[in-house]
Amino acid sequence: MAIDVADVITDFGAYYKPGSDNQKNLRTMIYKPGRTASYFQLRPTEDTIWRGTLASLNRIVQPFQKTFSPISTTKFTPNHFDLFKLKIDLQETPDDLEATYLGFLAALPEADRAQWPFVIWWLSNLIPPAKERDLELNEYFAGVYLAPPVPGTAGAVSTAMNGIRKVIRGYNTAGRLNLGNGPFALGAFPGADADFCTYIETFVESIPSEIRPFIKEVFMDTDSATRYKRGKRDKYKLNINYMEGSGLQTVEDYPSVSVVGLDSHLGSQLIWTSFAENRIRPVKKIGLKDTMKVQQFAPRVVSAYTDWWEALNFEVPEFVFCNDQDLA
């Protein structure tokens, strides 16, 4: 792969002039930060399948009688899901930088291109945020795993893992959401912002009362979260500066519950929640910085690569609650 410096050459010329220009003059693109995974508890693991079990006990209290009359059944409900193996494969030719304004990234008398300043800058400034962007926007919510059909050909976007939407859809098909009672039948989003505020309040009120005290966040796309804040102002006739900050994001009558907008959910009307301990992120071989391998495989060509396993999922599907949208 060749580094694209065509625009730099057009503006600054095809030469490098030693001087004060250095990495301080080099800005990097601002990428969408990865927020979705931060709401899932990290679980380092050596396995590629996560296994868990829900233990429950039905009614045990009964009226007294002298005769022994045992009741109840102890039930164990298993759950397991796969981790997905993801990878990053990159290749660049740093020589493309030498005769340009960016020559300071290649200005090192070292034959091994893997030792050039470009590689250190590349690994530290471009690759980590680009990884977070791709996971956030393509995989963590919208992903539907599909094994690469052609060896040697990169897989398509949003096919590296099953994202949250695919996971919830699977549990819905299996009849395991909402203590086995299925999604809340709320229908499509209403048009007016004030009505959308009521929609979210109805969602929270639909959560079983024994579970609701443990719920702290309701997740949706960022545009919907903004609509909720506007709707709360409209519905309750609030001043625009009312409770600046988190106040407009909380749910009326349930102030411990906040609406959270995620860029990963863009364009979806799926709303979901579960308590923090149930949202898990098993990861095998964590740490991009520590696992990224850089080598000069071919003369003057630098390759960087890494791979790891992870998943975003739920330990107990019965403790996941959602509306009835975007589930097909």
Side-chain angles (χ1 to χ4, degrees), residues 172 177-178 181-186 321-325 327:
N172 179 50
L177 299 175
N178 182 18
N181 296 309
F184 304 143
L186 300 179
F321 308 92
C322 68
N323 64 344
D324 56 352
Q325 300 300 297
L327 289 175

Side-chain angles (χ1 to χ4, degrees), residues 5-302:
V5 291
D7 291 342
V8 173
I9 292 174
T10 299
D11 280 13
F12 299 151
Y15 61 88
Y16 173 58
K17 180 181 178 180
S20 61
D21 292 332
N22 54 39
Q23 292 184 34
K24 294 180 181 179
N25 301 88
L26 189 59
R27 299 291 179 262
T28 58
M29 175 61 74
I30 297 175
Y31 296 133
K32 288 285 187 182
R35 291 184 61 223
T36 301
S38 68
Y39 288 100
F40 286 73
Q41 293 189 355
L42 184 64
R43 302 285 182 87
T45 180
E46 293 302 317
D47 296 326
T48 59
I49 297 178
W50 183 270
R51 296 177 176 87
T53 304
L54 171 65
S56 59
L57 188 66
N58 62 4
R59 185 176 71 95
I60 62 173
V61 177
Q62 60 175 301
F64 175 78
Q65 59 175 290
K66 290 190 292 183
T67 305
F68 187 65
S69 54
I71 57 173
S72 84
T73 300
T74 301
K75 183 178 182 180
F76 295 95
T77 305
N79 184 41
H80 71 277
F81 54 84
D82 294 330
L83 277 66
F84 298 91
K85 192 171 187 179
L86 301 90
K87 71 169 185 173
I88 296 173
D89 287 350
L90 302 170
Q91 192 175 81
E92 298 290 7
T93 307
D95 288 72
D96 293 337
L97 299 170
E98 279 193 293
T100 75
Y101 161 82
L102 298 171
F104 55 82
L105 292 176
L108 189 70
E110 167 68 55
D112 183 1
R113 270 61 175 171
Q115 304 302 316
W116 283 14
F118 163 76
V119 175
I120 298 174
W121 171 84
W122 187 44
L123 292 175
S124 300
N125 294 278
L126 278 190
I127 295 176
K131 173 198 174 189
E132 295 303 313
R133 172 205 61 196
D134 288 354
L135 289 171
E136 183 75 8
L137 298 184
N138 301 332
E139 307 297 341
Y140 278 156
F141 181 78
V144 178
Y145 178 72
L146 179 65
V150 181
T153 300
V157 65
S158 298
T159 63
M161 64 184 290
N162 285 340
I164 297 168
R165 178 170 55 187
K166 175 67 173 177
V167 169
I168 291 177
R169 286 173 174 176
Y171 289 138
N172 179 50
T173 300
R176 299 196 61 177
L177 299 175
N178 182 18
L179 305 179
N181 296 309
F184 304 143
L186 300 179
F189 288 0
D193 291 340
D195 293 335
F196 182 67
C197 176
T198 300
Y199 185 100
I200 299 302
E201 291 169 349
T202 302
F203 177 91
V204 174
E205 290 169 355
S206 300
I207 299 170
S209 58
E210 67 270 26
I211 303 294
R212 194 184 305 122
F214 302 100
I215 298 297
K216 303 302 180 184
E217 301 93 1
V218 174
F219 299 98
M220 62 193 70
D221 84 305
T222 50
D223 290 341
S224 298
T226 300
R227 281 196 65 198
Y228 174 78
K229 290 191 289 185
R230 289 198 301 260
K232 187 173 181 180
R233 289 192 192 103
D234 293 346
K235 180 175 179 178
Y236 296 103
K237 312 302 180 187
L238 303 175
N239 182 280
I240 193 168
N241 295 318
Y242 170 77
M243 294 178 65
E244 190 66 29
S246 63
L248 287 173
Q249 295 175 290
T250 60
V251 177
E252 195 72 10
D253 297 328
Y254 303 102
S256 63
V257 180
S258 296
V259 166
V260 176
L262 296 172
D263 291 321
S264 60
H265 291 46
L266 181 65
S268 175
Q269 289 197 3
L270 177 63
I271 295 175
W272 66 273
T273 188
S274 189
F275 49 84
E277 295 81 1
N278 197 45
R279 307 188 302 258
I280 61 173
R281 181 190 174 209
V283 177
K284 180 180 180 182
K285 294 168 61 174
I286 192 171
L288 172 61
K289 180 180 179 181
D290 299 328
T291 62
M292 179 68 78
K293 178 68 174 178
V294 180
Q295 281 186 244
Q296 181 178 321
F297 280 114
R300 304 179 180 87
V301 178
V302 175

Side-chain angles (χ1 to χ4, degrees), residues 295-317:
Q295 281 186 244
Q296 181 178 321
F297 280 114
R300 304 179 180 87
V301 178
V302 175
S303 296
Y305 61 97
T306 189
D307 53 79
W308 72 99
W309 298 76
E310 75 169 293
L312 298 185
N313 214 301
F314 306 95
E315 199 156 37
V316 179

